[in-house]
Amino acid sequence: MSDTERRDDEQAQRSAERVRTGVRPEESSPTKLDDNARAELREIVARYPEPRSALLPMLHLVQSYEGHVTPAGIEMCAQILDITEAEVAAVATFYTMYKRRPVGEYHVGVCTNTLCAIMGGDRIFEDLSEHLGIGHDETTEDGKVSLERVECNAACDFAPVMVVNWEFVDNQTPESAVELVDRLRAGEQVTSTRGPRICTWRQAERVLAGFPDDLATEGPQAGPASLVGRTLAEERGWTAPEGGQRAIEGRGEAK
Amino acid sequence: MTEPTVDAPGGREPITLTPVLTQRWDQPDSFTRRAYEKAGGYKALRMALQRKPEDIIEAVKDSGLRGRGGAGFPTGMKWSFIPKDSPKPTYLVVNADESEPGTCKDIPLMMADPHVLLEGVIITSYAIGAKTAFIYVRGEVLHVFRRMQNAVAEAYEAGYLGTNILDSGVDIDVVVHAGAGAYICGEETALLDSLEGRRGQPRLKPPFPAVAGLYASPTVINNVETIASVPSIVERGADWFRTMGTEKSPGFGIFSLSGHVTNPGQYEAPLGITLRELLDMAGGVRAGHELKFWTPGGSSTPMLTADHLDVPLDFEGMAGVGSLLGTRALQIFDDTTCVVRATGRWVEFYKHESCGKCTPCREGFWWMVQIFDRLEKGDGTEADLDKLLDMSDNIAGRSFCALADGGVAPVVSSIQYFRDEYIAHFENQGCPFDPAASTLFAPESQQEAGVRA
Ligand SMILES: Cc1cc2nc3c(=O)[nH]c(=O)nc-3n(C[C@H](O)[C@H](O)[C@H](O)COP(=O)(O)O)c2cc1C
Ligand code: SF4
Ligand code: FES
């Protein structure tokens, strides 16, 4: 094969791969998916009555090894589940948490759904974007921070809301948001306002794949807004009515 | 006991808060098994295991509990649709995908008190004969996923899960599963496809999940808050549950206030409470401002205005004013808010989240976003409003799932109540509002916060 032929052949393979996986191969570095990863992927499969149910957590695990969904990751999932790579790629491209390009150490999401946007999320996003010099779904050159507009993250009572590696950072202002990303870039340990010390994005993806770390008991049980009604009831002496004693009438016989 | 300070509508007794699900949230270790047991947790499970599964289904039917995920379907009835003689296994799936804009109750519940959900899961599994239950948690809430997983591990250790739980001869396993970011996966059949490792796209109904759900097997799918309400019903009884709420909307629910309100947060109260009563408890609308519009149950429920402050927040009350109770996600917007901007942003959300399966939804929201861009810039015309209404008709009536109906709700209702404001955008050749004035960090609102502090 001549050089040109080889190049053409390579190119053809690449574009075939791109069609198959939806991922640009030129952007992926050598795979980190080793035997250990394969064993862990199989471990996920074993949790489910039917293997394919494991695919979403498997893709989370692929991201934790690779930093995004890579062609090698798609291939490995397909092999293990005995489905086609196109089938895996179709799933990977459907969900917004799966990324086709490398994600930074810290994924910073700013909620810009209506309520947060109006309460200040739009300003926060603009300021962060300008401060970091990146737009939506982009990563700083040092590979530290990726910025994304996210949809409502079920924390509207803490608006405006941000999430770092999917941990809540509640009640933000443009100033606190800029300070937060500066601290992340400086390598400081940052703690969620309603959660634990923030780990890296890859570690977070590993937890979502169902491999727990030891942070579950860190952080408060609830944020202040979660408690306002509870506290008010206490102050005013409001309670639910007393329960009836005989809960379930014994229509059937006790077992 | 302090009486509420505002009048209840129609001369009924004033309604106060009734913490049941939120009762333990103020304990610093409320998410641990120890704390939950100390507060009487897992007693209901022991009681349930003494009874026949049918009795539990009856009790939940008698309580009148209706689904807390938005649609309000009677829970006991849903359970009773599970065939008794299916050769296939039965599954319970908990919908913990909470993604409807404005909705923020299931997430703090699982964060603070995952065991109450888990106890509900075990009791429900026993009642419907499921040996395996799944809790499908949206992926974007890492710590909640940890707390839920930790609770499951603790429950296995205590023998509440696994084989022969509490020596009852019953086997139940629970898998906590993380989604990966897709609002549509909250729709129950899309969730099932997603849980099967596919793109989350809704399925044709019938067959309903009770007959052919997960792996084409009989499946019950319920919202987090629905299932978390089950232990209290088992323990305290259906009659107790019915002492709260109304005849047709019995019981309590978590009301989530967000936006331009003095004390946003979670307020657990009987269904039928009004926004006036809730706002009074929450310190009112942001100081110096007035209520402009609000959603009763997330962005998919038609918006309402100050004219609806005294309408009971129950399924019937909201339907009576052309809206829906939804998820009790009360997003409050004051007079600084541009309704065109708010609605346009919601439409963008529905465009982004449309699963693409059917044309009216996929294309319709795309076109609507273009129109809203124009409107916000002041380049629209009155004909655009008619076009939006016309498109709404076509999208809602002709799409496959309820995402489409939800998406047109803010469009139609905002034009209904605020047509003049849309028109002001053309006349003004742009938005007449200052977005800075709506923010929490607007100089004005910071001063007020200073005064309050
Ligand atoms: C687009 C869409 C999104 C939904 N999202 C959720 C959700 O996040 N959580 C939920 O419990 N129900 C959601 N639902 C409602 C579910 O389809 C289903 O009605 C509910 O989970 C049933 O549980 P319940 O009877 O306990 O309410 C959604 C429905 C639609 C159409
Ligand atoms: S209405 Fe929209 S979200 Fe629902 S199935 Fe059709 S395209 Fe998908
Ligand atoms: S709108 Fe931002 S968290 Fe709900």
Side-chain angles (χ1 to χ4, degrees), chain A residues 32-241:
Chain A
K32 298 186 182 66
L33 290 163
D34 51 13
D35 287 348
N36 198 37
R38 190 182 291 273
E40 287 182 343
L41 288 169
R42 289 193 194 284
E43 220 179 288
I44 300 176
V45 174
R47 291 181 205 143
Y48 295 90
E50 297 200 5
R52 185 157 175 177
S53 281
L55 184 52
L56 266 61
M58 286 167 87
L59 287 167
H60 282 303
L61 192 71
V62 164
Q63 296 208 115
S64 94
Y65 273 88
E66 301 272 78
H68 62 127
V69 176
T70 55
I74 287 178
E75 197 184 316
M76 198 177 272
C77 290
Q79 259 180 17
I80 291 174
L81 296 176
D82 198 20
I83 57 179
T84 66
E85 287 170 36
E87 283 173 302
V88 176
V91 171
T93 50
F94 185 81
Y95 297 92
T96 51
M97 287 178 80
Y98 300 134
K99 302 299 180 191
R100 294 197 249 172
R101 280 176 297 168
V103 173
E105 211 171 311
Y106 297 99
H107 173 272
V108 173
V110 182
C111 177
T112 54
N113 201 296
T114 299
L115 190 116
C116 280
I118 284 173
M119 300 298 285
D122 274 355
R123 244 300 286 293
I124 292 176
F125 183 87
E126 279 165 31
D127 285 14
L128 278 185
S129 174
E130 197 183 297
H131 182 72
L132 294 167
I134 52 174
H136 167 72
D137 227 356
E138 291 177 0
T139 303
T140 52
E141 259 174 42
D142 60 6
K144 283 277 186 195
V145 174
S146 298
L147 186 63
E148 190 179 335
R149 295 169 180 277
V150 298
E151 297 299 356
C152 174
N153 221 61
C156 325
D157 47 345
F158 295 94
V161 171
M162 287 173 60
V163 276
V164 176
N165 296 342
W166 308 117
E167 305 279 18
F168 288 116
V169 189
D170 298 322
N171 297 120
Q172 290 301 287
T173 64
E175 296 76 32
S176 67
V178 165
E179 190 197 315
L180 174 74
V181 296
D182 283 348
R183 289 182 58 205
L184 291 171
R185 292 181 91 180
E188 285 178 41
Q189 176 64 63
V190 172
T191 303
S192 159
T193 53
R194 196 163 31 120
R197 286 166 293 161
I198 290 171
C199 61
T200 66
W201 182 77
R202 290 193 188 201
Q203 285 164 340
E205 282 293 304
R206 185 173 171 81
V207 174
L208 292 175
F211 297 95
D213 52 19
D214 54 3
L215 297 176
T217 57
E218 255 191 37
Q221 83 287 5
S226 308
L227 294 176
V228 287
R230 176 68 189 82
T231 308
L232 186 72
E234 181 90 43
E235 280 169 16
R236 306 238 174 128
W238 295 339
T239 55

Side-chain angles (χ1 to χ4, degrees), chain A residues 228-233 235-236 238, chain B residues 2-6 12 14-19 255 257 261-270 273-285:
Chain A
V228 287
R230 176 68 189 82
T231 308
L232 186 72
E235 280 169 16
R236 306 238 174 128
W238 295 339
Chain B
T2 320
E3 290 295 324
T5 50
V6 291
R12 71 140 160 74
I15 291 180
T16 59
L17 298 176
T18 51
F255 292 82
L257 272 76
V261 45
T262 307
N263 295 311
Q266 308 301 321
Y267 296 83
E268 191 175 3
I273 195 168
T274 64
L275 181 61
R276 190 185 300 281
E277 290 170 307
L278 283 167
L279 272 178
D280 180 54
M281 294 175 189
V285 168

Side-chain angles (χ1 to χ4, degrees), chain B residues 133-185:
Chain B
F134 295 89
I135 304 175
Y136 185 111
V137 185
R138 68 181 295 186
E140 303 98 319
V141 287
L142 181 60
H143 207 46
V144 170
F145 184 77
R146 280 198 193 95
R147 288 264 163 95
M148 208 57 243
Q149 248 198 342
N150 192 55
V152 168
E154 286 186 314
Y156 271 104
E157 279 166 25
Y160 298 135
L161 283 175
T163 48
N164 190 22
I165 60 169
L166 298 176
D167 269 332
S168 60
V170 176
D171 305 340
I172 296 169
D173 284 301
V174 171
V175 179
V176 187
H177 180 94
Y183 165 61
I184 189 60
C185 291

Side-chain angles (χ1 to χ4, degrees), chain B residues 66-75 78 93-100 103 105-106 138 183-191 202 205 221-227 300 327 350 401-404 406:
Chain B
R66 297 173 65 173
R68 300 299 192 229
F73 193 82
T75 305
K78 186 186 273 191
V93 177
V94 175
N95 190 340
D97 194 53
E98 187 163 73
S99 313
E100 165 76 14
T103 311
K105 62 190 179 66
D106 299 340
R138 68 181 295 186
Y183 165 61
I184 189 60
C185 291
E187 195 282 332
E188 56 186 19
T189 61
L191 188 150
K205 287 189 276 194
I221 172 158
N222 275 126
N223 169 257
V224 168
E225 194 186 353
T226 311
I227 295 294
S300 303
T327 49
Y350 291 100
C401 85
L403 179 141

